[in-house]
Amino acid sequence: MRKTIIAGNWKMYKTIAEGSELVNGLKRELIDLEAVDIVVCPPFTLLPLLSDMLTSSNISVGAQDCYWQEEGAFTGEVSCKMIKDSGAKYVIIGHSERRQFFGETNETVNKKIKAALKAGLLPIVCVGETLAEREKNKTFDVLSDHIKNGLADITAEEMEKITIAYEPVWAIGTGKTATPAQAQEAHKFIRDLLEKIFDKETAQETRIQYGGSVKPENTAELINQPDIDGALVGGASLKVDSFAAIVKKASEVTK
Ligand code: PGA
């Protein structure tokens, strides 16, 4: 059984005061909601505070990136050990904005996944095609490349700790959501690929979230698809009302 997971990717938004206010609102709205796993991924500056505020709650905290070295002269980077120490449980790896603006590659994604697992963090690994790639019918090639190379040398046992986020780049922050059928097709492709790389059981157990302009109005139809196990939410995770509504919708339709 795959438990639905709804994660909010706050990106580079929220000061300490704003982040605390958002989390207090979410705690109020989502108290006792256990049907889905709820995660908030704030900027690094908020990790320890929010982890403290959310101790023994039903909401977990995740980072948005990490570096693969444990420590050293790597100015500006934050290690998985430090993220774990902050109280966070999850870490987003390979988001398309990191691939696009910060030179992230499948090779660095792979190193970060291994470091995250070693530190005891649960990676949320992002994959997905650009509009140009979709228009050239390259979607499945790109997904194969991201999955095969990003997950190189990962074992079936390690895979139990990993969530995949399918995020078509053309749907991120654009208001243009993939149709449920388009998203389901990509998720099914990813699950079939996981079965080839690992085994049937691993493929069936791996959670695959959809990301890209998820909002309260489209949550139910996406989560209702057989291979969509949750959402990675950007813009709509920045307000209590919209994020709480997405979590509630997801828990209503949860399989
Ligand atoms: P969006 O972002 O919901 O604002 O499209 C999703 C993401 O980048 O994870």
Side-chain angles (χ1 to χ4, degrees), residues 7-11 13 92 95-97 126 165-177 210-215 231-238 246:
N9 172 11
W10 293 7
K11 307 194 179 182
Y13 291 99
I92 298 172
H95 189 279
S96 65
E97 285 149 18
C126 303
Y166 167 62
E167 297 207 305
V169 180
W170 48 272
I172 295 178
T174 57
K176 217 171 143 184
T177 325
Y210 167 80
S213 299
V214 174
K215 31 190 186 275
L232 182 55
V233 186
S237 73
L238 297 173
I246 289 171

mmCIF file of all heavy atoms in Angstrom, residues 7-11 13 92 95-97 126 165-177 210-215 231-238 246, ligand 1:
data_model
loop_
_atom_site.group_PDB
_atom_site.id
_atom_site.type_symbol
_atom_site.label_atom_id
_atom_site.label_comp_id
_atom_site.label_asym_id
_atom_site.label_seq_id
_atom_site.Cartn_x
_atom_site.Cartn_y
_atom_site.Cartn_z
ATOM 1 N N ALA A 7 3.591 17.217 -0.485
ATOM 2 C CA ALA A 7 4.717 18.025 -0.002
ATOM 3 C C ALA A 7 4.634 19.426 -0.576
ATOM 4 O O ALA A 7 4.280 19.606 -1.742
ATOM 5 C CB ALA A 7 6.040 17.364 -0.395
ATOM 6 N N GLY A 8 4.947 20.400 0.250
ATOM 7 C CA GLY A 8 4.970 21.797 -0.203
ATOM 8 C C GLY A 8 6.408 22.234 -0.407
ATOM 9 O O GLY A 8 7.229 22.122 0.512
ATOM 10 N N ASN A 9 6.712 22.698 -1.613
ATOM 11 C CA ASN A 9 8.043 23.208 -1.917
ATOM 12 C C ASN A 9 7.948 24.738 -1.884
ATOM 13 O O ASN A 9 7.415 25.341 -2.803
ATOM 14 C CB ASN A 9 8.468 22.698 -3.307
ATOM 15 C CG ASN A 9 9.754 23.330 -3.789
ATOM 16 O OD1 ASN A 9 10.458 23.994 -3.030
ATOM 17 N ND2 ASN A 9 10.068 23.119 -5.061
ATOM 18 N N TRP A 10 8.465 25.318 -0.804
ATOM 19 C CA TRP A 10 8.318 26.769 -0.615
ATOM 20 C C TRP A 10 9.271 27.565 -1.499
ATOM 21 O O TRP A 10 9.174 28.779 -1.565
ATOM 22 C CB TRP A 10 8.543 27.143 0.854
ATOM 23 C CG TRP A 10 7.493 26.638 1.804
ATOM 24 C CD1 TRP A 10 6.455 25.788 1.528
ATOM 25 C CD2 TRP A 10 7.374 26.965 3.197
ATOM 26 N NE1 TRP A 10 5.710 25.567 2.656
ATOM 27 C CE2 TRP A 10 6.252 26.273 3.699
ATOM 28 C CE3 TRP A 10 8.116 27.758 4.077
ATOM 29 C CZ2 TRP A 10 5.854 26.366 5.041
ATOM 30 C CZ3 TRP A 10 7.735 27.850 5.404
ATOM 31 C CH2 TRP A 10 6.606 27.160 5.884
ATOM 32 N N LYS A 11 10.236 26.890 -2.122
ATOM 33 C CA LYS A 11 11.244 27.566 -2.961
ATOM 34 C C LYS A 11 11.883 28.713 -2.162
ATOM 35 O O LYS A 11 12.022 28.586 -0.947
ATOM 36 C CB LYS A 11 10.612 28.028 -4.271
ATOM 37 C CG LYS A 11 9.894 26.875 -4.977
ATOM 38 C CD LYS A 11 9.542 27.129 -6.389
ATOM 39 C CE LYS A 11 8.855 25.881 -6.945
ATOM 40 N NZ LYS A 11 8.510 25.989 -8.350
ATOM 41 N N TYR A 13 10.972 31.450 -0.751
ATOM 42 C CA TYR A 13 9.945 32.306 -0.159
ATOM 43 C C TYR A 13 9.893 32.057 1.345
ATOM 44 O O TYR A 13 10.184 30.952 1.780
ATOM 45 C CB TYR A 13 8.559 31.968 -0.749
ATOM 46 C CG TYR A 13 8.404 32.360 -2.198
ATOM 47 C CD1 TYR A 13 8.558 31.403 -3.194
ATOM 48 C CD2 TYR A 13 8.118 33.663 -2.570
ATOM 49 C CE1 TYR A 13 8.416 31.732 -4.541
ATOM 50 C CE2 TYR A 13 7.973 34.002 -3.910
ATOM 51 C CZ TYR A 13 8.122 33.044 -4.884
ATOM 52 O OH TYR A 13 7.988 33.372 -6.204
ATOM 53 N N ILE A 92 14.394 17.297 -0.988
ATOM 54 C CA ILE A 92 14.096 17.309 -2.426
ATOM 55 C C ILE A 92 15.439 17.288 -3.164
ATOM 56 O O ILE A 92 16.348 18.043 -2.810
ATOM 57 C CB ILE A 92 13.307 18.583 -2.820
ATOM 58 C CG1 ILE A 92 11.962 18.639 -2.095
ATOM 59 C CG2 ILE A 92 13.110 18.654 -4.334
ATOM 60 C CD1 ILE A 92 11.196 19.962 -2.287
ATOM 61 N N HIS A 95 15.437 19.020 -8.340
ATOM 62 C CA HIS A 95 14.324 19.830 -8.845
ATOM 63 C C HIS A 95 14.737 20.488 -10.165
ATOM 64 O O HIS A 95 15.893 20.865 -10.341
ATOM 65 C CB HIS A 95 13.949 20.893 -7.802
ATOM 66 C CG HIS A 95 12.685 21.607 -8.151
ATOM 67 N ND1 HIS A 95 12.657 22.634 -9.064
ATOM 68 C CD2 HIS A 95 11.405 21.410 -7.759
ATOM 69 C CE1 HIS A 95 11.409 23.051 -9.200
ATOM 70 N NE2 HIS A 95 10.626 22.324 -8.421
ATOM 71 N N SER A 96 13.783 20.662 -11.058
ATOM 72 C CA SER A 96 14.132 21.189 -12.388
ATOM 73 C C SER A 96 14.756 22.582 -12.315
ATOM 74 O O SER A 96 15.563 22.944 -13.161
ATOM 75 C CB SER A 96 12.914 21.209 -13.300
ATOM 76 O OG SER A 96 11.964 22.110 -12.805
ATOM 77 N N GLU A 97 14.389 23.357 -11.276
ATOM 78 C CA GLU A 97 15.020 24.683 -11.154
ATOM 79 C C GLU A 97 16.498 24.543 -10.814
ATOM 80 O O GLU A 97 17.318 25.355 -11.234
ATOM 81 C CB GLU A 97 14.271 25.530 -10.110
ATOM 82 C CG GLU A 97 12.952 26.040 -10.676
ATOM 83 C CD GLU A 97 11.849 26.226 -9.660
ATOM 84 O OE1 GLU A 97 12.120 26.301 -8.448
ATOM 85 O OE2 GLU A 97 10.664 26.273 -10.084
ATOM 86 N N CYS A 126 13.233 14.494 -8.149
ATOM 87 C CA CYS A 126 12.415 15.097 -9.217
ATOM 88 C C CYS A 126 12.925 14.722 -10.611
ATOM 89 O O CYS A 126 14.131 14.774 -10.874
ATOM 90 C CB CYS A 126 12.434 16.611 -9.101
ATOM 91 S SG CYS A 126 11.858 17.215 -7.514
ATOM 92 N N ALA A 165 9.223 12.363 -7.805
ATOM 93 C CA ALA A 165 8.258 13.421 -8.159
ATOM 94 C C ALA A 165 8.354 13.639 -9.667
ATOM 95 O O ALA A 165 9.408 14.057 -10.160
ATOM 96 C CB ALA A 165 8.566 14.696 -7.406
ATOM 97 N N TYR A 166 7.260 13.318 -10.365
ATOM 98 C CA TYR A 166 7.221 13.612 -11.808
ATOM 99 C C TYR A 166 6.733 15.044 -11.970
ATOM 100 O O TYR A 166 5.602 15.375 -11.614
ATOM 101 C CB TYR A 166 6.289 12.655 -12.554
ATOM 102 C CG TYR A 166 6.011 13.146 -13.969
ATOM 103 C CD1 TYR A 166 7.056 13.281 -14.888
ATOM 104 C CD2 TYR A 166 4.729 13.514 -14.373
ATOM 105 C CE1 TYR A 166 6.823 13.765 -16.171
ATOM 106 C CE2 TYR A 166 4.491 13.993 -15.651
ATOM 107 C CZ TYR A 166 5.544 14.120 -16.537
ATOM 108 O OH TYR A 166 5.323 14.609 -17.805
ATOM 109 N N GLU A 167 7.622 15.904 -12.469
ATOM 110 C CA GLU A 167 7.267 17.312 -12.631
ATOM 111 C C GLU A 167 7.598 17.759 -14.052
ATOM 112 O O GLU A 167 8.749 18.125 -14.334
ATOM 113 C CB GLU A 167 8.062 18.167 -11.641
ATOM 114 C CG GLU A 167 7.754 17.845 -10.199
ATOM 115 C CD GLU A 167 7.997 19.049 -9.289
ATOM 116 O OE1 GLU A 167 9.107 19.594 -9.314
ATOM 117 O OE2 GLU A 167 7.077 19.435 -8.587
ATOM 118 N N PRO A 168 6.605 17.749 -14.936
ATOM 119 C CA PRO A 168 6.872 18.261 -16.283
ATOM 120 C C PRO A 168 7.235 19.743 -16.181
ATOM 121 O O PRO A 168 6.480 20.514 -15.581
ATOM 122 C CB PRO A 168 5.546 18.051 -17.019
ATOM 123 C CG PRO A 168 4.517 17.807 -15.970
ATOM 124 C CD PRO A 168 5.210 17.336 -14.732
ATOM 125 N N VAL A 169 8.398 20.115 -16.691
ATOM 126 C CA VAL A 169 8.917 21.475 -16.477
ATOM 127 C C VAL A 169 7.940 22.525 -17.000
ATOM 128 O O VAL A 169 7.773 23.592 -16.406
ATOM 129 C CB VAL A 169 10.314 21.620 -17.135
ATOM 130 C CG1 VAL A 169 10.881 23.016 -16.925
ATOM 131 C CG2 VAL A 169 11.273 20.573 -16.566
ATOM 132 N N TRP A 170 7.235 22.196 -18.078
ATOM 133 C CA TRP A 170 6.303 23.142 -18.686
ATOM 134 C C TRP A 170 5.064 23.400 -17.821
ATOM 135 O O TRP A 170 4.308 24.340 -18.080
ATOM 136 C CB TRP A 170 5.875 22.652 -20.081
ATOM 137 C CG TRP A 170 5.445 21.210 -20.105
ATOM 138 C CD1 TRP A 170 6.266 20.133 -20.296
ATOM 139 C CD2 TRP A 170 4.134 20.688 -19.918
ATOM 140 N NE1 TRP A 170 5.547 18.969 -20.233
ATOM 141 C CE2 TRP A 170 4.226 19.281 -20.010
ATOM 142 C CE3 TRP A 170 2.879 21.259 -19.693
ATOM 143 C CZ2 TRP A 170 3.129 18.443 -19.881
ATOM 144 C CZ3 TRP A 170 1.776 20.417 -19.555
ATOM 145 C CH2 TRP A 170 1.912 19.036 -19.646
ATOM 146 N N ALA A 171 4.884 22.600 -16.794
ATOM 147 C CA ALA A 171 3.711 22.773 -15.928
ATOM 148 C C ALA A 171 4.078 23.465 -14.615
ATOM 149 O O ALA A 171 3.211 23.777 -13.810
ATOM 150 C CB ALA A 171 3.075 21.424 -15.638
ATOM 151 N N ILE A 172 5.376 23.720 -14.392
ATOM 152 C CA ILE A 172 5.802 24.277 -13.111
ATOM 153 C C ILE A 172 5.660 25.794 -13.107
ATOM 154 O O ILE A 172 6.263 26.485 -13.928
ATOM 155 C CB ILE A 172 7.262 23.877 -12.795
ATOM 156 C CG1 ILE A 172 7.354 22.360 -12.604
ATOM 157 C CG2 ILE A 172 7.755 24.609 -11.555
ATOM 158 C CD1 ILE A 172 8.739 21.846 -12.328
ATOM 159 N N GLY A 173 4.841 26.289 -12.202
ATOM 160 C CA GLY A 173 4.673 27.734 -12.041
ATOM 161 C C GLY A 173 4.000 28.408 -13.225
ATOM 162 O O GLY A 173 3.995 29.627 -13.335
ATOM 163 N N THR A 174 3.435 27.637 -14.133
ATOM 164 C CA THR A 174 2.852 28.211 -15.343
ATOM 165 C C THR A 174 1.328 28.246 -15.298
ATOM 166 O O THR A 174 0.693 28.859 -16.153
ATOM 167 C CB THR A 174 3.237 27.362 -16.577
ATOM 168 O OG1 THR A 174 2.782 26.016 -16.346
ATOM 169 C CG2 THR A 174 4.731 27.352 -16.813
ATOM 170 N N GLY A 175 0.748 27.566 -14.332
ATOM 171 C CA GLY A 175 -0.705 27.460 -14.271
ATOM 172 C C GLY A 175 -1.216 26.404 -15.238
ATOM 173 O O GLY A 175 -2.414 26.124 -15.301
ATOM 174 N N LYS A 176 -0.294 25.808 -16.001
ATOM 175 C CA LYS A 176 -0.655 24.814 -17.013
ATOM 176 C C LYS A 176 -0.406 23.416 -16.426
ATOM 177 O O LYS A 176 0.748 22.978 -16.356
ATOM 178 C CB LYS A 176 0.289 25.034 -18.194
ATOM 179 C CG LYS A 176 -0.324 24.834 -19.538
ATOM 180 C CD LYS A 176 0.662 25.294 -20.602
ATOM 181 C CE LYS A 176 0.580 24.394 -21.796
ATOM 182 N NZ LYS A 176 1.576 24.734 -22.811
ATOM 183 N N THR A 177 -1.440 22.763 -15.954
ATOM 184 C CA THR A 177 -1.250 21.440 -15.347
ATOM 185 C C THR A 177 -1.279 20.379 -16.442
ATOM 186 O O THR A 177 -2.018 20.536 -17.417
ATOM 187 C CB THR A 177 -2.426 21.102 -14.398
ATOM 188 O OG1 THR A 177 -2.843 22.288 -13.770
ATOM 189 C CG2 THR A 177 -2.045 20.072 -13.380
ATOM 190 N N TYR A 210 2.972 13.776 -8.323
ATOM 191 C CA TYR A 210 2.921 14.661 -9.490
ATOM 192 C C TYR A 210 3.197 16.092 -9.005
ATOM 193 O O TYR A 210 2.725 16.492 -7.931
ATOM 194 C CB TYR A 210 1.544 14.602 -10.175
ATOM 195 C CG TYR A 210 1.402 15.735 -11.166
ATOM 196 C CD1 TYR A 210 1.991 15.639 -12.426
ATOM 197 C CD2 TYR A 210 0.775 16.929 -10.819
ATOM 198 C CE1 TYR A 210 1.932 16.705 -13.319
ATOM 199 C CE2 TYR A 210 0.711 17.999 -11.702
ATOM 200 C CZ TYR A 210 1.298 17.877 -12.942
ATOM 201 O OH TYR A 210 1.258 18.938 -13.817
ATOM 202 N N GLY A 211 3.916 16.875 -9.791
ATOM 203 C CA GLY A 211 4.132 18.289 -9.465
ATOM 204 C C GLY A 211 4.029 19.150 -10.699
ATOM 205 O O GLY A 211 4.451 18.743 -11.796
ATOM 206 N N GLY A 212 3.474 20.335 -10.535
ATOM 207 C CA GLY A 212 3.315 21.273 -11.662
ATOM 208 C C GLY A 212 1.926 21.865 -11.622
ATOM 209 O O GLY A 212 0.970 21.232 -12.066
ATOM 210 N N SER A 213 1.816 23.069 -11.028
ATOM 211 C CA SER A 213 0.542 23.797 -10.950
ATOM 212 C C SER A 213 -0.585 22.997 -10.289
ATOM 213 O O SER A 213 -1.738 23.071 -10.710
ATOM 214 C CB SER A 213 0.115 24.298 -12.334
ATOM 215 O OG SER A 213 1.089 25.186 -12.845
ATOM 216 N N VAL A 214 -0.228 22.250 -9.242
ATOM 217 C CA VAL A 214 -1.275 21.562 -8.471
ATOM 218 C C VAL A 214 -1.999 22.603 -7.623
ATOM 219 O O VAL A 214 -1.377 23.465 -7.011
ATOM 220 C CB VAL A 214 -0.673 20.456 -7.557
ATOM 221 C CG1 VAL A 214 -1.745 19.858 -6.646
ATOM 222 C CG2 VAL A 214 -0.024 19.374 -8.398
ATOM 223 N N LYS A 215 -3.317 22.560 -7.637
ATOM 224 C CA LYS A 215 -4.134 23.466 -6.823
ATOM 225 C C LYS A 215 -5.331 22.689 -6.284
ATOM 226 O O LYS A 215 -5.564 21.542 -6.717
ATOM 227 C CB LYS A 215 -4.571 24.686 -7.632
ATOM 228 C CG LYS A 215 -4.771 24.467 -9.118
ATOM 229 C CD LYS A 215 -4.957 25.790 -9.839
ATOM 230 C CE LYS A 215 -5.300 25.561 -11.289
ATOM 231 N NZ LYS A 215 -4.175 25.373 -12.168
ATOM 232 N N ALA A 231 1.339 14.743 -4.353
ATOM 233 C CA ALA A 231 1.682 15.946 -5.116
ATOM 234 C C ALA A 231 2.851 16.671 -4.471
ATOM 235 O O ALA A 231 3.016 16.654 -3.248
ATOM 236 C CB ALA A 231 0.467 16.869 -5.169
ATOM 237 N N LEU A 232 3.657 17.283 -5.326
ATOM 238 C CA LEU A 232 4.687 18.214 -4.875
ATOM 239 C C LEU A 232 4.192 19.584 -5.330
ATOM 240 O O LEU A 232 4.038 19.827 -6.528
ATOM 241 C CB LEU A 232 6.051 17.866 -5.499
ATOM 242 C CG LEU A 232 7.236 18.736 -5.086
ATOM 243 C CD1 LEU A 232 7.415 18.785 -3.569
ATOM 244 C CD2 LEU A 232 8.540 18.200 -5.709
ATOM 245 N N VAL A 233 3.894 20.430 -4.348
ATOM 246 C CA VAL A 233 3.167 21.665 -4.618
ATOM 247 C C VAL A 233 4.077 22.880 -4.413
ATOM 248 O O VAL A 233 4.693 23.004 -3.353
ATOM 249 C CB VAL A 233 1.956 21.775 -3.650
ATOM 250 C CG1 VAL A 233 1.091 22.963 -4.005
ATOM 251 C CG2 VAL A 233 1.145 20.485 -3.636
ATOM 252 N N GLY A 234 4.161 23.747 -5.405
ATOM 253 C CA GLY A 234 4.967 24.963 -5.274
ATOM 254 C C GLY A 234 4.093 26.122 -4.831
ATOM 255 O O GLY A 234 3.766 26.266 -3.649
ATOM 256 N N GLY A 235 3.657 26.936 -5.789
ATOM 257 C CA GLY A 235 2.896 28.165 -5.506
ATOM 258 C C GLY A 235 1.773 27.994 -4.496
ATOM 259 O O GLY A 235 1.649 28.791 -3.552
ATOM 260 N N ALA A 236 0.976 26.948 -4.658
ATOM 261 C CA ALA A 236 -0.194 26.776 -3.787
ATOM 262 C C ALA A 236 0.183 26.297 -2.382
ATOM 263 O O ALA A 236 -0.681 26.163 -1.515
ATOM 264 C CB ALA A 236 -1.197 25.815 -4.426
ATOM 265 N N SER A 237 1.486 26.044 -2.142
ATOM 266 C CA SER A 237 1.881 25.628 -0.781
ATOM 267 C C SER A 237 2.238 26.838 0.081
ATOM 268 O O SER A 237 2.553 26.703 1.255
ATOM 269 C CB SER A 237 3.075 24.662 -0.829
ATOM 270 O OG SER A 237 4.268 25.346 -1.166
ATOM 271 N N LEU A 238 2.182 28.034 -0.506
ATOM 272 C CA LEU A 238 2.623 29.235 0.220
ATOM 273 C C LEU A 238 1.503 29.888 1.024
ATOM 274 O O LEU A 238 1.735 30.873 1.717
ATOM 275 C CB LEU A 238 3.213 30.249 -0.770
ATOM 276 C CG LEU A 238 4.466 29.764 -1.519
ATOM 277 C CD1 LEU A 238 4.874 30.759 -2.589
ATOM 278 C CD2 LEU A 238 5.624 29.540 -0.536
ATOM 279 N N ILE A 246 -5.613 21.372 -0.497
ATOM 280 C CA ILE A 246 -5.027 20.289 -1.306
ATOM 281 C C ILE A 246 -4.875 19.021 -0.452
ATOM 282 O O ILE A 246 -5.245 17.922 -0.875
ATOM 283 C CB ILE A 246 -3.666 20.739 -1.898
ATOM 284 C CG1 ILE A 246 -3.902 21.783 -3.000
ATOM 285 C CG2 ILE A 246 -2.866 19.553 -2.430
ATOM 286 C CD1 ILE A 246 -2.645 22.465 -3.521
HETATM 287 P P1 PGA B 1 4.157 24.858 -8.879
HETATM 288 O O1 PGA B 1 5.616 24.262 -8.548
HETATM 289 O O2 PGA B 1 3.172 24.102 -8.044
HETATM 290 O O3 PGA B 1 4.252 26.319 -8.493
HETATM 291 O O4 PGA B 1 3.940 24.669 -10.332
HETATM 292 C C1 PGA B 1 5.814 22.890 -8.380
HETATM 293 C C2 PGA B 1 7.268 22.606 -8.073
HETATM 294 O O5 PGA B 1 8.150 23.279 -8.627
HETATM 295 O O6 PGA B 1 7.592 21.696 -7.282
#
